[in-house]
Amino acid sequence: PPFLQARILQRGDLRRARNPSAALYVRIREERCANANVQLPAKLAVNAAVEDFIAMHALDGLAAVSLRAALPEIQRAVLLRGSVAASPNPSAAVLERLREARCHMDGPGATAASLGAFTGGD
């Protein structure tokens, strides 16, 4: 991503390095790790919320795996729609929400940010 490229370039010239390619590789790896550490708390919060949702609704294996494997934006869209406890089949309701969220994301002009406003019915 461009922001990582900018941070790597800001670290200075590599012409004096004994092996410029290796030095660049190390910088790229360090910046990626630093970026991953910054994003980790948000990812952990989503994962914890997903696991809580799965346990609270006693989702079957397919629904649980599908929800865990979904993009974080899709997971948030599903969870933001609230409880599926009133549904006769909570697992089927979650699978339907996943399908709808993916369709909404794939629609014309849709963006990941637009999923936050997605509130389709069950």
Side-chain angles (χ1 to χ4, degrees):
F3 72 93
L4 285 180
Q5 291 173 349
R7 288 191 350 213
I8 291 166
L9 291 173
Q10 288 172 351
R11 292 178 67 177
D13 192 4
L14 292 171
R15 284 184 275 196
R16 291 187 178 170
R18 193 170 97 189
N19 185 341
S21 295
L24 177 62
Y25 179 77
V26 168
R27 288 183 182 184
I28 291 169
R29 187 179 65 218
E30 288 173 351
E31 290 299 329
R32 282 184 177 162
C33 288
N35 186 52
N37 288 337
V38 167
Q39 294 178 351
L40 187 60
K43 288 181 180 178
L44 289 176
V46 170
N47 289 344
V50 167
E51 292 303 322
D52 290 347
F53 191 87
I54 290 168
M56 182 179 2
H57 296 96
L59 299 182
D60 66 20
L62 177 60
V65 167
S66 298
L67 185 57
R68 287 182 185 119
L71 293 172
E73 295 84 7
I74 300 289
Q75 292 173 337
R76 282 188 206 95
V78 170
L79 272 57
L80 283 174
R81 290 180 59 187
S83 176
V84 291
S87 173
N89 185 340
S91 295
V94 167
L95 291 171
E96 179 63 15
R97 286 182 182 186
L98 286 166
R99 185 190 66 74
E100 290 172 356
R102 287 184 185 116
C103 287
H104 183 76
M105 187 170 171
D106 292 338
T111 63
S114 70
L115 281 172
F118 176 59
T119 57
D122 283 338

